[in-house]
């Protein structure tokens, strides 16, 4: 079977690291900045970054509604950190009206932005992650957590008692950044779900 073509939303955030991780996990990876590029990929990764800035750029690049439509039609997606925030159906503390983070409504969950604290509160932890052998070293940078999951959402990992990795069908999200650790198991889990 040919490698799935996976786009990485390249408006803001750690695009290069996700491209490398996806390629190592067996995908054809490309950047997505425009609606026609979004239309050509089979799946999408939404990287970490700043969720309100990414929401603003999604509107500016006329990607918000096309992306919502593709996700509603079942396009698989993986979001890390800010990507997790944007994939939620509801964002707690979304920001200042007019400049808030906008939910893409792809995973039935409520996510709280910066839940673990500010940049200075960033941390690393070893997590048990359902479906992966052994623990996973996780890097949390101004990370969110999940406050509510819907009936169809599977919690894959927790930190401090809070869900930090979830899956709903072929949608996957983590509050941490596996792309910066060299551990490709989360990306492989996502790419394998596309085959």
């Amino acid at each position: 079977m040919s490698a799935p073509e996976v786009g990485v939303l390249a408006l803001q955030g750690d695009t290069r690291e996700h491209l490398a991780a996806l390629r190592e996990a067996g995908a054809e990876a490309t950047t997505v900045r425009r609606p026609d590029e979004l239309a050509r990929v089979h799946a999408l990764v939404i990287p970490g970054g700043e969720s309100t800035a990414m929401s603003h750029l999604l509107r500016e690049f006329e990607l918000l509604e096309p992306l919502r439509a593709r996700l509603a039609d079942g396009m698989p997606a993986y979001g890390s950190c800010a990507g997790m925030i944007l994939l939620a159906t509801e964002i707690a503390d979304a920001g200042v009206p007019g400049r808030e983070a906008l939910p893409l409504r792809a995973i039935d969950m409520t996510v709280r932005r910066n839940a673990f604290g500010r940049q200075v509160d960033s941390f690393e932890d070893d997590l048990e992650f359902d479906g992966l052998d052994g623990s996973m070293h996780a890097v949390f940078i101004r990370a969110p957590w999940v406050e509510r999951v819907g009936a169809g959402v599977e919690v894959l990992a927790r930190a401090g008692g809070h869900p930090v990795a979830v899956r709903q069908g072929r949608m996957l999200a983590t509050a941490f950044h596996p792309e910066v650790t060299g551990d490709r198991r989360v990306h492989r889990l996502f790419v394998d779900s596309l085959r």
Side-chain angles (χ1 to χ4, degrees):
M1 176 182 279
S2 63
E5 188 166 347
V6 181
V8 176
L9 188 65
L11 302 179
Q12 193 254 350
D14 48 356
T15 304
R16 184 177 61 235
E17 293 85 351
H18 276 291
L19 289 168
L22 286 165
R23 289 174 182 140
E24 289 177 35
E28 292 289 332
T30 186
T31 56
V32 170
R33 291 184 185 91
R34 307 225 179 285
D36 62 312
E37 294 168 339
L38 177 64
R40 289 194 297 264
V41 297
H42 299 109
L44 186 70
V45 170
I46 304 173
E50 210 293 310
S51 57
T52 57
M54 291 171 82
S55 294
H56 172 74
L57 292 168
L58 282 169
R59 284 189 301 246
E60 286 294 310
F61 282 79
E62 299 179 351
L63 273 167
L64 182 62
E65 293 312 319
L67 179 51
R68 280 181 173 159
R70 286 288 313 272
L71 293 169
D73 285 344
M75 178 183 69
Y78 164 52
S80 67
C81 199
M84 170 185 256
I85 294 166
L86 295 178
L87 286 174
T89 51
E90 181 182 19
I91 302 169
D93 188 27
V96 179
R99 293 194 322 261
E100 70 271 27
L102 301 171
L104 295 169
R105 302 188 283 268
I107 299 176
D108 184 11
M109 63 181 173
T110 302
V111 175
R112 179 165 298 278
R113 295 170 61 236
N114 305 327
F116 285 104
R118 303 166 69 92
Q119 189 82 17
V120 70
D121 301 310
S122 299
F123 66 99
E124 299 180 23
D125 196 6
D126 291 322
L127 308 176
E128 294 304 314
F129 192 113
D130 287 353
L132 300 182
D133 291 332
S135 64
M136 164 158 271
H137 188 72
V139 176
F140 293 84
I141 303 169
R142 250 180 46 202
W145 67 43
V146 178
E147 294 195 340
R148 177 200 61 83
V149 294
V153 179
E154 179 184 5
V155 175
L156 301 174
R158 294 177 182 271
H162 299 282
V164 293
V166 297
R167 176 173 50 202
Q168 183 175 12
R170 294 195 309 170
M171 303 290 178
L172 179 66
T174 60
F176 53 91
H177 294 266
E179 72 280 3
V180 302
T181 66
D183 186 337
R184 302 306 186 216
R185 290 179 294 164
V186 170
H187 288 82
R188 206 167 293 119
L189 182 71
F190 179 61
V191 171
D192 288 349
S193 77
L194 307 176
R195 298 185 191 282

